[in-house]
Amino acid sequence: MTSFSERNQPLVRRLESLLGERLVRLDQIRGQLVAQITPRNWLEACQTLRDAEELEFDTLIDLCGVDYLGYSDAEWETAQATSSGFSRGVDELGPGRFDWAHRPEAEQIPNRFSVVVHLLSTRRNHRLRLHCHPDESDFPTLPSLVDLWSSANWYEREAFDLFGIVFEGHPDLRRIMTDYGFIGHPFRKDFPLIGNVTVRYDEERRRVVYEPTEIEPRVLVPRVIRHDSRYVGDQLDRREAPNG
Amino acid sequence: MAEIRNYTLNFGPQHPAAHGVLRLILEMDGEVVQRADPHIGLLHRATEKLAESKPFNQSIGYMDRLDYVSMMCSEHAYVRAIEQLLEIEPPERAQWIRTLFDEITRILNHLMWVGANGLDLGAMTLFLYAFRERENLLDCYEAVSGARMHATYYRPGGVYRDLPAEMPKVAESRFRKASDVKRLNQWREGSMLDFLDAFMIDFFDRVDDYETLLTDNRIWKQRNVGIGVVSPERARQLGFTGPMLRGSGVAWDLRKKQPYAKYREVDFDIPVGVNGDCYDRYLVRIEEMRQSARICQQCIGWLRDHEGAVMSGNYKVAPPSRVEMKDDMEALIHHFKLFTEGYCVPEGETYAAVEAPKGEFGCYMISDGANKPFRVHLRAPGFAHLASMDEMARGHMLSDVVAIIGSQDIVFGEIDR
């Protein structure tokens, strides 16, 4: 159980009493409140957050999707390297290192996607972050929040476009960022960084043509995770800077 | 009788009043808009996805390219998110410099806005005056970072380097006569702070000048008063922030309500509109320029009196100085590791928001402990504002759409990301 700072205490108490069972988890991460809610209770909980007298989250400031595929996968051996020789490179298809033809088969992991909502109350001056994992990973769906906050409209379209999360009850769930007729959901971790098609104007055919991307996938710096005590929070090596 | 149907009009993406690459599909009944459907994404560069494949510091430059009219404010949100995850605090002087440059950026943005919006609505003159002032402030950008727009000046742990002791002077060339050079260099004899001080004293009169051109101008009022009215309740619902929300009469400003950097220690007022129309939003932005100049003056005062480091001494995050690297092996290793691998950020997630000139610019960042962010999401104020286009434009004339786009202060770099 996380401990809550004094500043957050009143809000925590109100959230716990008003949401009750619907609140799966409430954490404080870096001083900010994060609530986990199940898809089943999504609409109901949000309705309470917006309308309850003591909460009054009148603005949905942000909504975005997250794909947790490959969370905490590194490409660089940090702990065992010296005992096994000098080859540190881990042979995996990390983010940005594959093209469309060689994209990895997405494994079925539970809670792969998440919808993250940032709420703000301009009347009571507090914020809350909501996490909600849609049930199925191959066809993630979640009820739409458009009826509660109008600003959710475009944010949900964006999350649909980039992550393929379907919002039930959304009045106009079209793609928003990508090209007309785009295939795939580009911000998923199994979508190549270089994309799958390039577009150019063809002199001979006198029209715009789509072709498979020719760029080599190339990421310069490997993804490294160091569980080094010096990198852990408050143990960071703090030296005083010389003046000037 | 012939069937009368609504006419569909394609506005943009190459329309000069579309502020970049907005494509609007307008359903018209005569000259009255029935439905507006903005098509965005023509400038989508997948900044958020690119950031996932790069060490933290290498994405700071991308932030300048989001909202390319208020560069350092976007940097500020990104850098603050990293600092919150690392739990480091930049030195005090760096925070004052950030406050100063955030406000310079706000003036830059509003000058650009008032000039371009004037141009859209037929007030040509103002554009030239606004750019005269912008030139001076962009010179300050150049003096601290070497770049006039895409500065990459804010870094996790502070700012890249201290303010220059000498303001660079304008040189005579075949484009600039000696008399012009003399006039331009009048303020540039001392340090950059002296230059800014002279500029800010003069700036209040310049804002008054702009107002004489627009505020009571009959055409300006006819184009703006009562156009695109948004009630405070709707403004909250639509996710408005910044001058758009304040124009509707909600006194909400992150610099006051959730202060960051040194905003707690400076004195300024928040202008608030009454009617929530384009004209009120114009008045709010004009007054904000004056308030920004006030904040700048207070920052200049503090920075003149206080010396100190502008970058954290934590070499895991900030590079050591060249001098130190000459004879300290540790410093050399730190430098090498920092520029080849970057730094690993402890696992966690955070949301850092700043009051950018257009509204709340936020950066939501998830780290899984690696040297690259796991996910970055950028909350651009213009995205929510443009989403309300249909509601704001409905029932207005075609020419009012231009006034509404103008008053939303649209920049596609941040909307499309």
Side-chain angles (χ1 to χ4, degrees):
Chain A
M1 201 63 208
T2 35
S3 57
F4 298 100
S5 65
E6 205 167 303
R7 200 177 158 275
N8 284 332
Q9 286 287 0
L11 181 58
V12 169
R13 274 196 298 276
R14 272 174 266 158
L15 283 171
E16 278 170 348
S17 68
L18 282 162
L19 290 178
E21 289 284 288
R22 284 169 292 179
L23 197 64
V24 181
R25 243 182 104 131
L26 188 65
D27 289 306
Q28 178 173 316
I29 304 175
R30 302 292 197 282
Q32 301 170 352
L33 284 181
V34 187
Q36 183 104 38
I37 289 163
T38 56
R40 204 161 38 86
N41 295 327
W42 184 235
L43 270 185
E44 215 184 318
C46 287
Q47 176 101 43
T48 313
L49 289 170
R50 189 192 68 170
D51 295 338
E53 182 95 9
E54 300 96 335
L55 298 170
E56 277 191 301
F57 285 101
D58 47 27
T59 310
L60 180 139
I61 212 80
D62 189 25
L63 183 150
C64 69
V66 180
D67 179 2
Y68 279 101
L69 188 68
Y71 187 83
S72 75
D73 282 356
E75 298 169 334
W76 199 246
E77 198 77 61
T78 52
Q80 307 294 321
T82 39
S83 60
S84 64
F86 292 105
S87 176
R88 282 170 173 270
V90 177
D91 208 15
E92 267 182 279
L93 288 174
R97 292 190 186 273
F98 52 86
D99 57 18
W100 183 252
H102 301 96
R103 64 187 188 280
E105 193 78 11
E107 49 197 307
Q108 291 288 329
I109 54 166
N111 294 342
R112 177 179 163 188
F113 294 102
S114 180
V115 170
V116 182
V117 170
H118 287 93
L119 297 179
L120 166 74
S121 170
T122 56
R123 291 194 177 87
R124 299 191 173 261
N125 194 9
H126 51 219
R127 286 177 190 271
L128 177 68
R129 184 183 312 137
L130 305 177
H131 270 263
C132 184
H133 296 288
D135 284 328
E136 286 173 67
S137 296
D138 44 344
F139 189 71
T141 51
L142 206 63
S144 167
L145 296 179
V146 174
D147 292 336
L148 293 174
W149 292 283
S150 309
S151 55
N153 190 327
W154 274 27
Y155 286 115
E156 285 180 352
R157 276 178 71 186
E158 189 193 316
F160 162 71
D161 187 3
L162 303 178
F163 289 93
I165 299 164
V166 175
F167 293 90
E168 286 168 334
H170 191 287
D172 184 25
L173 202 63
R174 285 176 293 156
R175 287 187 178 270
I176 186 165
M177 287 295 179
T178 51
D179 200 358
Y180 306 111
F182 191 87
I183 295 166
H185 299 289
F187 275 30
R188 288 187 174 188
K189 293 278 180 180
D190 53 359
F191 191 94
L193 181 69
I194 57 165
N196 55 353
V197 283
T198 47
V199 56
R200 69 176 176 86
Y201 179 74
D202 191 53
E203 278 297 343
E204 280 168 27
R205 277 180 279 180
R206 316 199 69 174
R207 65 180 176 87
V208 170
V209 291
Y210 290 84
E211 288 164 346
T213 325
E214 281 175 6
I215 327 162
E216 290 278 308
R218 191 179 70 138
V219 172
L220 294 177
V221 184
R223 191 178 165 79
V224 184
I225 297 182
R226 290 190 187 276
H227 300 287
D228 190 324
S229 65
R230 287 173 306 176
Y231 289 93
V232 177
D234 54 345
Q235 290 176 45
L236 280 169
D237 178 11
R238 282 167 217 233
R239 270 203 266 171
E240 281 305 309
N243 280 335
Chain B
M1 204 176 112
E3 191 189 353
I4 299 170
R5 277 189 304 170
N6 282 351
Y7 184 73
T8 308
L9 186 82
N10 190 32
F11 181 99
Q14 263 81 14
H15 194 285
H19 285 242
V21 286
L22 169 65
R23 184 177 173 210
L24 261 180
I25 311 291
L26 297 170
E27 219 169 88
M28 312 289 295
D29 178 14
E31 218 185 314
V32 178
V33 178
Q34 296 296 317
R35 203 173 82 94
D37 181 18
H39 286 204
I40 64 165
L42 287 106
L43 202 63
H44 181 58
R45 294 147 297 175
T47 306
E48 295 163 10
K49 181 134 178 145
L50 277 171
E52 288 171 12
S53 70
K54 291 180 171 24
F56 284 91
N57 271 13
Q58 290 184 16
S59 301
I60 303 173
Y62 284 124
M63 300 303 134
D64 295 308
R65 285 148 182 86
L66 289 169
D67 183 353
Y68 43 75
V69 200
S70 46
M71 296 72 68
M72 288 200 195
C73 287
S74 331
E75 278 177 34
H76 201 167
Y78 179 73
V79 163
R80 269 189 72 218
I82 299 173
E83 282 168 357
Q84 282 177 8
L85 282 174
L86 283 166
E87 294 179 321
I88 56 171
E89 184 91 350
E92 206 177 4
R93 189 173 164 86
Q95 297 202 27
W96 279 99
I97 293 177
R98 284 184 186 179
T99 314
L100 173 67
F101 270 91
D102 272 13
E103 292 313 311
I104 290 178
T105 308
R106 196 177 315 278
I107 296 177
L108 275 172
N109 179 82
H110 286 356
L111 282 174
M112 176 80 195
W113 172 82
V114 79
N117 194 22
L119 207 56
D120 287 347
L121 302 183
M124 177 83 197
T125 330
L126 192 66
F127 191 72
L128 303 171
Y129 288 128
F131 266 68
R132 177 187 61 190
E133 262 71 70
R134 263 176 70 86
E135 202 62 23
N136 280 329
L137 292 175
L138 285 174
D139 283 347
C140 292
Y141 257 56
E142 192 177 355
V144 292
S145 71
R148 289 167 61 80
M149 287 181 78
H150 304 307
T152 327
Y153 181 53
Y154 296 2
R155 304 287 167 94
V159 293
Y160 171 56
R161 59 178 180 187
D162 209 344
L163 304 174
E166 205 178 311
M167 186 69 193
K169 292 188 182 62
V170 180
E172 199 181 324
S173 69
R174 72 195 163 93
F175 305 107
R176 282 217 177 90
K177 293 190 295 262
S179 57
D180 286 341
V181 168
K182 197 173 164 227
R183 179 177 52 83
L184 286 168
N185 282 340
Q186 211 176 4
W187 292 343
R188 294 169 198 248
E189 294 304 326
S191 70
M192 200 195 88
L193 287 177
D194 296 335
F195 171 77
L196 270 175
D197 199 26
F199 176 89
M200 293 303 166
I201 291 169
D202 181 64
F203 188 65
F204 292 96
D205 292 339
R206 298 285 82 79
V207 179
D208 291 345
D209 287 351
Y210 307 150
E211 283 216 273
T212 58
L213 283 167
L214 295 181
T215 305
D216 291 324
N217 185 316
R218 212 171 100 195
I219 304 170
W220 184 253
K221 278 186 149 177
Q222 282 171 344
R223 295 296 307 265
N224 280 313
V225 175
I227 304 296
V229 180
V230 183
S231 71
E233 214 29 67
R234 283 310 292 165
R236 289 194 185 97
Q237 264 282 320
L238 291 163
F240 281 12
T241 44
M244 294 288 289
L245 185 61
R246 292 192 283 274
S248 291
V250 182
W252 176 262
D253 190 319
L254 287 182
R255 293 174 294 170
K256 284 271 191 213
K257 303 284 178 176
Q258 296 170 5
Y260 53 96
K262 286 292 166 192
Y263 284 111
R264 206 186 292 274
E265 291 169 42
V266 288
D267 183 33
F268 65 102
D269 300 317
I270 320 176
V272 175
V274 180
N275 303 314
D277 58 0
C278 290
Y279 189 69
D280 278 17
R281 292 190 277 273
Y282 154 78
L283 291 176
V284 164
R285 289 196 174 98
I286 288 285
E287 185 53 33
E288 269 184 24
M289 283 202 267
R290 293 200 184 93
Q291 297 301 330
S292 290
R294 260 178 80 193
I295 301 175
C296 283
Q297 286 179 327
Q298 293 167 57
C299 293
I300 293 165
W302 192 95
L303 286 166
R304 271 188 175 149
D305 299 342
H306 299 79
E307 292 282 303
V310 293
M311 191 62 134
S312 149
N314 176 356
Y315 294 152
K316 296 280 179 257
V317 179
S321 73
R322 280 276 147 194
V323 182
E324 237 174 309
M325 280 164 56
K326 300 284 186 217
D327 54 19
D328 184 5
M329 191 63 197
E330 278 292 308
L332 194 65
I333 295 170
H334 273 124
H335 185 273
F336 177 73
K337 285 309 270 183
L338 188 64
F339 284 98
T340 52
E341 187 182 293
Y343 44 84
C344 292
V345 167
E347 197 176 344
E349 56 176 50
T350 191
Y351 177 79
V354 296
E355 184 74 28
K358 295 180 173 63
E360 175 173 331
F361 188 95
C363 176
Y364 171 55
M365 191 182 278
I366 306 179
S367 169
D368 59 351
N371 59 340
K372 303 172 180 181
F374 182 75
R375 167 99 169 104
V376 176
H377 178 73
L378 300 157
R379 194 267 174 201
F383 189 79
H385 296 160
L386 188 63
S388 71
M389 180 50 96
D390 182 41
E391 188 174 323
M392 283 176 79
R394 194 168 288 192
H396 281 298
M397 308 286 261
L398 176 60
S399 55
D400 297 334
V401 172
V402 177
I404 292 170
I405 297 174
S407 89
Q408 285 181 344
D409 202 359
I410 298 295
V411 162
F412 270 88
E414 59 158 12
I415 291 171
D416 289 348
R417 282 158 288 155

